[in-house]
Amino acid sequence: MTNFMFIPGLVARLSPTDYVGFTFFVGCMAMMAASAFFFLSLNQFDKKWRTSVLVSGLITFIAAVHYFYMRDYWAAFQESPTFFRYIDWTLTVPLMCVEFFLILKVAGAKQSLMWKMIILSLVMLLTGYFGEAVDRPNAWLWGLISGIAYFIIVYEIWLGNASKIAAAAGGNVLAAHKILCWFVLVGWSIYPLGYMLGTDGWYNGIHGLGLNIDVVYNIADAINKIGFGLVVYNLALKSQTN
Ligand SMILES: *C/C=C(C)/C=C/C=C(C)/C=C/C1=C(C)CCCC1(C)C
């Protein structure tokens, strides 16, 4: 693990057993490939769906750039690139909230719904950052506040206003909304689990399983950013033939 060398301007050497570094590399390529896929598909869609697919591509593209930095950071220091991680999330998670709005806009969603979700996601991430990087002794408290914001987002899309608009829209929009709801409930829940894994005195006994917080986050990012984007892509594709 400590067998690496870093010379500025050169490529850092990754140990052959550095599986964390491996997931950063794969994450990089996956996000790049997904971005190319979404961007290059844009022309085939009706105008009203293009923005949604464009945002899917922006999410994976922003992630790709951050993965380049995180990959290098990890290779150089063998340390969690927490700062880059949270900048990435602070940009991409609000964009995922925008996706919910863009899909439901066709069915009459108001901008206030979008702003409510964006603000909740920012509260969730800022408090999470405090717990993970600034005030670690109180990680449980920051995690709790963050978790409450997450819970409200889940409530909004599953049972709140957003769910009612989706139900009224029906058809492909409702089907896509439902799948995105599952992403937020199950896919996003991986992050708080990773957070707890990395918090002393909490569940970090699970470290014994050989799990690393960055691997958990990297896998979750791939599922949530690319998978989420594909659901939107699929909705645009299906709505095409209507
Ligand atoms: C592409 C990145 C995504 C979808 C990131 C999502 C991140 C979360 C849902 C993070 C949630 C957290 C909690 C609910 C509590 C502990 C702190 C966080 C920030 C890990």
Side-chain angles (χ1 to χ4, degrees), residues 86 89 92-93 96 124 128 143 146 150 188 191-192 195 221 225:
Y86 273 85
W89 290 354
T92 53
V93 177
M96 294 170 110
M124 174 181 85
S146 176
Y150 170 54
W188 289 20
Y191 298 94
Y195 179 93
D221 274 358
K225 293 187 165 64

Side-chain angles (χ1 to χ4, degrees), residues 137-156:
N138 292 313
W140 66 273
L141 179 62
W142 296 112
L144 182 69
I145 302 171
S146 176
I148 291 170
Y150 170 54
F151 180 81
I152 301 173
I153 294 175
V154 170
Y155 180 87
E156 175 63 41

Side-chain angles (χ1 to χ4, degrees), residues 111-121 152 156 161:
Q111 272 201 13
S112 56
L113 171 74
M114 178 183 83
W115 287 113
K116 183 180 173 187
M117 301 257 300
I118 289 178
I119 289 166
L120 284 166
S121 69
I152 301 173
E156 175 63 41
N161 200 13

Side-chain angles (χ1 to χ4, degrees), residues 12 15 24 31 37 45 51 92 169 185 189 207 214 221 225 239:
S15 144
F24 275 117
M31 295 296 179
F37 176 81
F45 297 120
T51 316
T92 53
L185 181 68
S189 73
H207 270 312
D214 283 298
D221 274 358
K225 293 187 165 64
S239 308

Side-chain angles (χ1 to χ4, degrees), residues 87-105:
I87 300 177
D88 174 337
W89 290 354
T90 307
L91 297 169
T92 53
V93 177
L95 280 175
M96 294 170 110
C97 295
V98 171
E99 285 287 39
F100 273 99
F101 165 72
L102 286 175
I103 287 174
L104 297 177
K105 203 172 95 174

Side-chain angles (χ1 to χ4, degrees), residues 29-182:
M29 296 309 143
M31 295 296 179
M32 249 183 10
S35 309
F37 176 81
F38 292 131
F39 289 148
L40 293 172
S41 76
L42 276 178
N43 265 335
Q44 80 189 80
F45 297 120
D46 289 343
K47 261 215 169 100
K48 82 172 179 189
W49 291 111
R50 257 180 232 164
T51 316
S52 305
V53 179
L54 174 66
V55 172
S56 289
L58 288 177
I59 290 169
T60 51
F61 182 71
I62 292 169
V65 175
H66 283 86
Y67 267 83
F68 268 101
Y69 283 97
M70 294 199 288
R71 187 197 69 170
D72 278 359
Y73 187 96
W74 173 267
F77 306 113
Q78 307 275 295
E79 232 174 54
S80 284
T82 307
F83 189 66
F84 290 123
R85 176 83 73 193
Y86 273 85
I87 300 177
D88 174 337
W89 290 354
T90 307
L91 297 169
T92 53
V93 177
L95 280 175
M96 294 170 110
C97 295
V98 171
E99 285 287 39
F100 273 99
F101 165 72
L102 286 175
I103 287 174
L104 297 177
K105 203 172 95 174
V106 199
K110 299 209 176 70
Q111 272 201 13
S112 56
L113 171 74
M114 178 183 83
W115 287 113
K116 183 180 173 187
M117 301 257 300
I118 289 178
I119 289 166
L120 284 166
S121 69
L122 290 175
V123 169
M124 174 181 85
L125 296 170
L126 282 174
T127 50
Y129 182 72
F130 263 75
E132 209 168 315
V134 181
D135 185 20
R136 284 201 71 88
N138 292 313
W140 66 273
L141 179 62
W142 296 112
L144 182 69
I145 302 171
S146 176
I148 291 170
Y150 170 54
F151 180 81
I152 301 173
I153 294 175
V154 170
Y155 180 87
E156 175 63 41
I157 54 173
W158 275 91
L159 302 162
N161 200 13
S163 80
K164 291 182 187 117
I165 299 169
N172 293 332
V173 170
L174 177 61
H177 177 82
K178 270 274 141 64
I179 303 174
L180 294 184
C181 282
W182 279 107

